[in-house]
Amino acid sequence: MPEKKLAVWKPEATNYPKQFIHKLAESIAGELGFRPGDDIFQLVKEKMGGNIVHRDFWDLTETNDGSIEVSDSGKINISLPSYVSDNRNRFTVAHELGHYFLHYCPKMNNKKNNMVFKATRYTENNNDRPEWEANWFSAAFLMPSAAFNERLGTTNNDINAVAEYFGVSQAAAKYHKEYLESI
């Protein structure tokens, strides 16, 4: 019997405000029992029944970053590059979960075929709203505002220590700090 072919689907923007996505991500993390510094790989595998695969550069297609596949039953498979740091991959897993919760779940009842998200590489020049939304979700999921601000206070605003505590890159912690200061 031939293997079922996955249909490619590009996430559509929700156009939710950044603050709404931030609160949604924190809420979902809370519902899943995910706390800052927890093992996000274990969360995907054990609590969500998903799978994470690390791929070498030559095994990746259409993107050199992560991607998510969602079967018609809702099971998720996240592919990650094997050549980046664990902290970068933590952010990527949360980013792909952002696509799942923001862009796939609302459409789940309308789709019958297997679907795969092929993420585009996010850069500061990328004007792809679904990628922005997934990044906002990822930052809030991994670094909830109350815990982030508390950690900033206990480390005298040492962004390196904050990044290490949350298991994210220094750049991710810095951007998140700037966002929280702006609201």
Side-chain angles (χ1 to χ4, degrees), residues 33-181:
F34 185 81
R35 295 182 319 266
D38 281 357
D39 186 337
I40 196 164
F41 306 99
Q42 182 179 11
L43 171 87
V44 168
K45 292 175 184 176
E46 294 179 9
K47 289 196 176 180
M48 298 183 72
N51 191 32
I52 295 178
V53 177
H54 287 83
R55 300 202 188 278
D56 290 323
F57 180 77
W58 48 85
D59 292 332
L60 296 170
T61 57
E62 295 185 33
T63 179
N64 54 2
D65 210 352
S67 65
I68 185 168
E69 296 176 3
V70 185
S71 72
D72 54 359
S73 66
K75 182 175 170 139
I76 61 174
N77 292 301
I78 297 175
S79 295
L80 298 172
S82 61
Y83 52 86
V84 300
S85 72
D86 284 342
N87 286 350
R88 178 66 181 107
N89 275 337
R90 279 175 54 81
F91 195 89
T92 300
V93 169
H95 172 99
E96 298 305 331
L97 291 178
H99 282 309
Y100 178 73
F101 288 113
L102 292 168
H103 307 126
Y104 175 75
C105 287
K107 306 245 182 233
M108 200 158 78
N109 294 329
N110 298 328
K111 303 293 180 186
K112 295 187 178 170
N113 297 326
N114 286 348
M115 298 164 47
V116 60
F117 289 114
K118 295 281 186 174
T120 57
R121 185 174 177 86
Y122 176 78
T123 65
E124 289 189 28
N125 296 327
N126 188 341
N127 193 20
D128 192 349
R129 176 71 189 224
E131 294 304 309
W132 295 354
E133 292 175 354
N135 279 338
W136 300 339
F137 182 97
S138 182
F141 191 89
L142 296 172
M143 302 175 280
S145 56
F148 190 87
N149 288 329
E150 179 181 330
R151 193 50 131 180
L152 274 174
T154 62
T155 63
N156 290 328
N157 291 317
D158 181 346
I159 205 70
N160 298 332
V162 171
E164 185 177 325
Y165 176 78
F166 288 99
V168 298
S169 69
Q170 293 171 12
K174 177 182 172 265
Y175 289 130
H176 194 56
K177 178 180 184 274
E178 290 169 1
Y179 163 68
L180 292 175
E181 289 172 345

